[in-house]
Amino acid sequence: LPTEAEWEYACRAGTTTAFSSGEIEGIGCQVYEKLDPAAWYCGNSEFVPHPVAQKQPNPWGIYDMHGNVWEWCRDIYHPNAYRRHGKIDPVCTSGGTDRVIRGGSWHLDAGAIA
């Protein structure tokens, strides 16, 4: 599994916006012009997960980094991970039992998958 920092790096694919396809246009379950082509979320998923690669990939050619299904990371979730392990590429391997999950899900609003 990738670390959370590795996942974030791959997801952003060199972009600086909230989504690799652009900025957040709003929070809710309506369809958003910039997010819709790249992600499954409650505004366009019909509340079911979808097969991989049905939306456009990020600039590095990686599909489904935003929405559809959550993705596990190697890191263990800890609310103070950045304080305990540094703010640049922290790796948290102790202090809890839950894994960090990233990417969002088909049943969540656009703000939850940023």
Side-chain angles (χ1 to χ4, degrees), residues 52-71:
V52 175
Q54 300 299 303
K55 295 288 187 174
Q56 70 185 15
N58 72 12
W60 291 351
I62 305 171
Y63 289 89
D64 297 324
M65 296 301 284
H66 301 298
N68 206 22
V69 296
W70 288 108
E71 299 178 35

Side-chain angles (χ1 to χ4, degrees), residues 12-83:
R12 298 239 182 255
T15 66
T16 58
T17 53
F19 301 112
S20 62
S21 58
E23 288 295 350
I24 295 175
E25 300 165 275
I27 296 175
C29 287
Q30 59 266 35
V31 173
Y32 294 103
E33 181 181 333
K34 292 179 184 168
L35 184 58
D36 188 63
W40 294 111
Y41 58 102
C42 64
N44 67 1
S45 69
E46 298 177 351
F47 292 94
V48 296
H50 292 270
V52 175
Q54 300 299 303
K55 295 288 187 174
Q56 70 185 15
N58 72 12
W60 291 351
I62 305 171
Y63 289 89
D64 297 324
M65 296 301 284
H66 301 298
N68 206 22
V69 296
W70 288 108
E71 299 178 35
W72 276 9
C73 295
R74 184 174 71 184
D75 299 82
I76 301 297
Y77 174 76
H78 191 282
N80 296 317
Y82 288 96
R83 191 172 330 137

